[in-house]
């Protein structure tokens, strides 16, 4: 593909994606683009549509397993500061989808706003969080969204009000759109209260997770009425390894990369976890991480 100017200078070839994911796994992107602004993003999408080039939107890569063989098409990362802006609008925080969740939480504390604290310690961007309705302990980000600004893959901009947004357990109807920004409902609170809430959440998280090797969080969603981690643990799979990938001994729903693990190693472990849980509990585990191949 010969990209027209000025995109031709900005779209790179063969960028290795492993360094852009928390798993540290993944081969090269055929094309890779970090648009500077909305117009550049829209231009690239229109071209991809015209030339049938697949588009992948990469956030912080903390919920992804990318194939070692790499990806065909254009990987777009909304890392430019134009996609990370944050401001207050009445009781809402309006934030660009490229902002990291932790930066968003700090902004909210700085401006005496509460409601986002349950997200503390969840890596990733607002865009990735909304796409998969990130959350913990029964709270999820989708419930806070008043409106979202999105682009479809043809480059058409839309503002979606709350009534057109559908969020479920680790899913949303935004996963077929490119999320540009969202308005998040918050409430006024003293900084000290927000700080106290954050401290509590971080302590709780440390007690249940805290693996230091690269990983992508929970690999499977919890089936109804059960914890995927407990089911996998009950199958005796903690510590099981394939190549350099190993099931965490601390949290059985985490797979850790203890060296140069291959995407195939992780997939083989996931298959093992799925099969054992199916055989023993007759429950089908569904991946929480997104698999790009
Ligand atoms: C140690 C650890 C702990 C974790 N704990 C939790 C937890 O408690 N709860 C939880 O919910 N998750 C958790 N996760 C998973 C992960 O942090 C979340 O899923 C996070 O929201 C992913 O955001 P991201 O920016 O990294 O998205 P990515 O991994 O980059 O992408 C995930 C998906 O979002 C899409 N996406 C990203 N940006 C956009 C955008 N702007 N528009 C449209 N689609 C987009 C991508 O295309 C992809 O399909 C954890 C992960 C790790 C590594």
């Amino acid at each position: 593909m010969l990209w027209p100017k000025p995109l031709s200078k900005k779209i790179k070839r063969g960028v290795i994606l492993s360094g852009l994911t928390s798993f540290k796994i993944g081969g090269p992107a055929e094309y890779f683009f970090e648009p500077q602004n909305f117009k550049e993003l829209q231009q690239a999408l229109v071209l991809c549509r015209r030339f049938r080039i697949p588009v992948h939107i990469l956030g912080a890569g903390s919920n992804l397993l990318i194939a070692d063989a790499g990806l065909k098409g254009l990987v777009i990362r909304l890392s430019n500061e134009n996609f990370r802006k944050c401001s207050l609008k009445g009781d809402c925080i309006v934030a660009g989808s490229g902002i990291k969740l932790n930066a968003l939480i700090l902004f909210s504390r700085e401006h005496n706003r509460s409601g986002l604290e349950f997200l503390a310690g969840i890596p990733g961007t607002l865009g990735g969080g909304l796409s998969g309705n990130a959350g913990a302990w029964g709270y999820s980000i989708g419930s806070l969204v008043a409106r979202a600004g999105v682009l479809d893959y043809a480059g058409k901009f839309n503002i979606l009000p709350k009534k057109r947004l559908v969020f479920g357990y680790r899913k949303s109807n935004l996963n077929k759109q490119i999320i540009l920004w969202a308005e998040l409902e918050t409430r006024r609170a003293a900084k000290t209260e927000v700080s106290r809430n954050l401290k509590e959440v971080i302590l709780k998280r440390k007690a249940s997770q805290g693996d230091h090797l690269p990983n992508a969080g929970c690999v499977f969603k919890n089936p109804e009425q059960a914890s995927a981690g407990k089911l996998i643990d009950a199958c005796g799979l903690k510590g099981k390894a394939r190549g350099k990938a190993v099931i965490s001994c601390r949290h059985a729903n985490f797979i850790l990369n203890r060296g140069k693990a291959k995407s195939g190693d992780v997939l083989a472990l996931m298959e093992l976890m799925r099969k054992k849980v199916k055989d023993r509990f007759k429950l089908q585990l569904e991946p929480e991480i997104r698999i790009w191949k």
Side-chain angles (χ1 to χ4, degrees), residues 14-290:
V15 170
I16 303 293
L17 298 172
S18 55
L20 300 176
T21 70
S22 60
F23 238 149
K24 303 295 170 224
I25 295 175
E30 186 179 15
Y31 303 111
F32 181 83
F33 185 36
E34 292 175 286
Q36 268 175 14
N37 51 45
F38 174 80
K39 208 173 147 209
E40 279 191 2
L41 170 63
Q42 205 175 29
Q43 227 177 338
L45 290 172
V46 169
L47 286 167
C48 287
R49 171 60 64 102
R50 187 179 312 153
F51 295 103
R52 295 170 185 253
I53 296 172
V55 173
H56 314 268
I57 307 294
L58 178 65
S62 62
N63 199 30
L64 288 177
L65 175 64
I66 301 180
D68 295 317
L71 293 175
K72 284 265 174 251
L74 180 67
V75 173
I76 298 179
R77 196 161 165 254
L78 303 181
S79 51
N80 190 280
E81 60 180 329
N82 284 323
F83 297 103
R84 291 188 277 124
K85 289 184 177 155
C86 218
S87 60
L88 277 184
K89 185 179 161 204
D91 281 340
C92 286
I93 294 178
V94 187
S97 62
I99 193 170
K100 294 270 176 68
L101 291 175
N102 276 339
L104 185 61
I105 291 165
L106 292 181
F107 177 92
S108 129
R109 179 174 64 181
E110 202 43 45
H111 292 83
N112 302 293
R113 309 303 308 178
S114 173
L116 299 172
E117 295 92 310
F118 67 91
L119 294 166
I122 301 182
T125 59
L126 175 60
L130 291 172
S131 168
N133 194 18
W137 304 295
Y139 299 95
S140 49
I141 192 165
S143 62
L144 304 175
V145 186
R147 300 197 303 168
V150 298
L151 268 179
D152 67 19
Y153 280 80
K156 188 167 169 280
F157 178 70
N158 256 310
I159 293 181
L160 303 178
K162 202 180 188 77
K163 63 175 186 230
R164 287 186 56 199
L165 300 171
V166 184
F167 292 99
Y169 170 52
R170 299 293 171 268
K171 62 181 181 189
S172 77
N173 64 344
L174 289 171
N175 64 357
K176 300 251 175 338
Q177 319 262 356
I178 295 155
I179 304 156
L180 296 176
W181 51 263
E183 277 180 23
L184 303 167
E185 288 159 350
T186 58
R187 66 172 179 83
R188 196 173 171 76
K191 268 191 199 72
T192 46
E193 183 192 334
V194 181
S195 294
R196 202 171 46 245
N197 294 344
L198 287 174
K199 213 169 160 185
E200 245 173 58
V201 170
I202 287 164
L203 282 177
K204 214 162 148 185
R205 186 165 279 277
K206 273 193 181 148
S208 62
Q209 300 178 2
D211 280 306
H212 297 300
L213 292 172
N215 67 77
C218 290
V219 287
F220 291 108
K221 294 183 185 185
N222 290 324
E224 244 171 81
Q225 318 290 343
S227 141
K230 283 190 179 146
L231 297 172
I232 298 163
D233 188 11
C235 293
L237 292 177
K238 278 184 170 173
K240 279 269 183 278
R242 289 287 181 275
K244 293 285 182 188
V246 61
I247 298 175
S248 167
C249 288
R250 189 152 183 190
H251 189 317
N253 199 12
F254 275 44
I255 294 179
L256 310 176
N257 176 1
R258 59 178 179 188
K260 291 196 169 152
K262 306 271 178 226
S263 53
D265 296 335
V266 176
L267 289 174
L269 278 181
M270 287 177 72
E271 198 40 50
L272 176 72
M273 292 150 103
R274 227 202 299 230
K275 183 175 181 325
K276 293 278 182 193
V277 168
K278 177 88 198 300
D279 290 350
R280 179 149 178 205
F281 298 103
K282 310 283 175 264
L283 285 172
Q284 193 73 47
L285 291 180
E286 191 192 326
E288 178 166 328
I289 56 171
R290 318 278 180 108

